[in-house]
């Protein structure tokens, strides 16, 4: 006689830990918003705590120093950005697989590349980029922040480059492809800097369309 299997027990959720995670998340999101809107000088721990709706003591419990708070905030949003890119990549791959099963297009079309390029450029025109830019400036003269921000940006840069290759279906072993993708990301960062002062979307859209054609040609080139 076979006894029915007892389903594994799941550990009960700890309301205190849930509240702690929620507080930490509010602080991180408030820190990015403050840094993007007010800059480094005006974004004190007290200002961030007030925006997050928590006490300064609670903020310092999670992040003992101001540098801890803001580097963690940019890393948090960068992680979420990477997760969103991975989700986009999964959806795009599934759509292509379904199209291939129906006998659809075998190659990525130009319009599709324009859409993907636009998504990647948007990474450099939102609050994360504004917040990161504030950190870069401060890190250039604040020794205690410099090494941490440099390491963080290097990791984010590698992750963004890898995700761009995956989204575009690019093989960086093909001569010129790696440089084309990296050049595009450098251009996107430049558009993000220009967007800090003026939001010239019409100009940006023209530049994005041209870079999409350049990338499309590079990806389609015989090898």
């Amino acid at each position: 006689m076979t006894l029915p299997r007892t389903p594994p027990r799941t550990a009960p959720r700890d309301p205190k830990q849930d509240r702690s995670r929620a507080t930490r998340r509010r602080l991180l999101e408030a820190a990015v918003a403050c840094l993007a809107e007010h800059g480094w000088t005006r974004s004190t721990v007290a200002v961030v705590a007030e925006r997050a709706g928590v006490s300064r003591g609670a903020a310092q419990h999670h992040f003992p120093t101001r540098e801890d708070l803001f580097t963690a905030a940019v890393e948090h949003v960068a992680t979420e950005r990477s997760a969103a890119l991975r989700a986009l990549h999964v959806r795009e791959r599934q759509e292509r697989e379904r199209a291939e099963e129906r006998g659809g297009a075998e190659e990525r079309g130009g319009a599709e590349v324009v859409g993907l390029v636009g998504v990647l450029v948007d990474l450099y025109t939102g609050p994360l980029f504004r917040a990161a830019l504030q950190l870069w400036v401060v890190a250039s003269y604040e020794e205690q922040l410099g090494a941490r921000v440099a390491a963080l940006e290097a990791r984010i840069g590698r992750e963004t480059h890898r995700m761009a290759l995956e989204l575009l279906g690019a093989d960086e072993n093909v001569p010129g492809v790696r440089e084309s993708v990296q050049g595009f990301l450098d251009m996107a960062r430049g558009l993000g800097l220009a967007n800090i002062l003026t939001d010239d979307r019409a100009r940006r859209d023209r530049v994005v369309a041209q870079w999409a054609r350049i990338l499309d040609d590079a990806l389609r080139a015989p090898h």
Side-chain angles (χ1 to χ4, degrees):
M1 178 179 179
T2 303
L3 296 176
R5 297 182 63 183
T6 303
R9 293 184 179 181
T10 57
R13 296 178 66 90
D14 185 342
K16 186 175 181 180
Q17 287 186 353
D18 286 346
R19 287 195 299 271
S20 178
R21 282 191 289 267
T23 298
R24 178 184 173 87
R25 184 181 185 89
R26 289 203 307 273
L27 283 165
L28 293 174
E29 292 174 350
V32 170
C34 287
L35 200 55
E37 294 174 15
H38 307 309
W40 173 261
T41 303
R42 294 169 57 195
S43 296
T44 63
V45 174
V47 168
V48 172
E50 181 178 0
R51 182 165 185 145
V54 304
S55 68
R56 180 172 179 172
Q60 290 179 320
H61 169 74
H62 287 276
F63 304 101
T65 70
R66 190 183 186 200
E67 291 76 18
D68 289 335
L69 172 60
F70 285 106
T71 52
V74 172
E75 184 170 13
H76 163 74
V77 182
T79 299
E80 293 215 329
R81 180 184 71 180
S82 296
L85 282 175
R86 283 192 292 270
L88 176 65
H89 174 55
V90 170
R91 289 197 302 272
E92 190 268 345
R93 184 180 60 195
Q94 290 172 341
E95 289 173 3
R96 284 182 59 81
E97 289 173 352
R98 284 194 291 269
E100 289 173 0
E101 288 174 359
R102 296 193 300 268
E106 296 181 358
E107 293 187 344
R108 202 177 245 103
E112 187 177 357
V113 173
V114 170
L116 292 172
V117 166
V119 168
L120 290 165
V121 168
D122 285 345
L123 296 177
Y124 296 95
T125 56
L128 170 63
F129 183 76
R130 287 176 177 269
L133 184 60
Q134 295 289 340
L135 272 184
W136 293 345
V137 172
V138 177
S140 68
Y141 59 81
E142 287 284 351
E143 184 178 349
Q144 58 187 353
L145 201 58
R148 298 169 70 170
V149 172
L152 174 62
E153 284 302 319
R155 186 173 64 78
I156 292 174
R158 289 192 298 270
E159 176 75 1
T160 302
H161 184 86
R162 185 180 65 80
M163 292 305 302
L165 290 171
E166 291 182 7
L167 281 168
L168 294 166
D171 181 0
E172 66 177 342
N173 293 315
V174 175
V177 167
R178 178 180 179 82
E179 291 76 14
S180 296
V181 172
Q182 188 58 58
F184 154 66
L185 292 175
D186 290 343
M187 178 277 303
R189 188 178 292 108
L191 288 177
L193 286 170
N195 190 64
I196 296 294
L197 297 177
T198 57
D199 185 5
D200 189 352
R201 180 168 291 276
R203 173 181 173 274
R204 187 165 69 242
D205 288 345
R206 292 194 299 272
V207 174
V208 166
Q210 177 60 27
W211 261 99
R213 287 190 287 270
I214 292 171
L215 283 174
D216 198 35
D217 290 343
L219 298 178
R220 291 171 180 268
H223 52 272

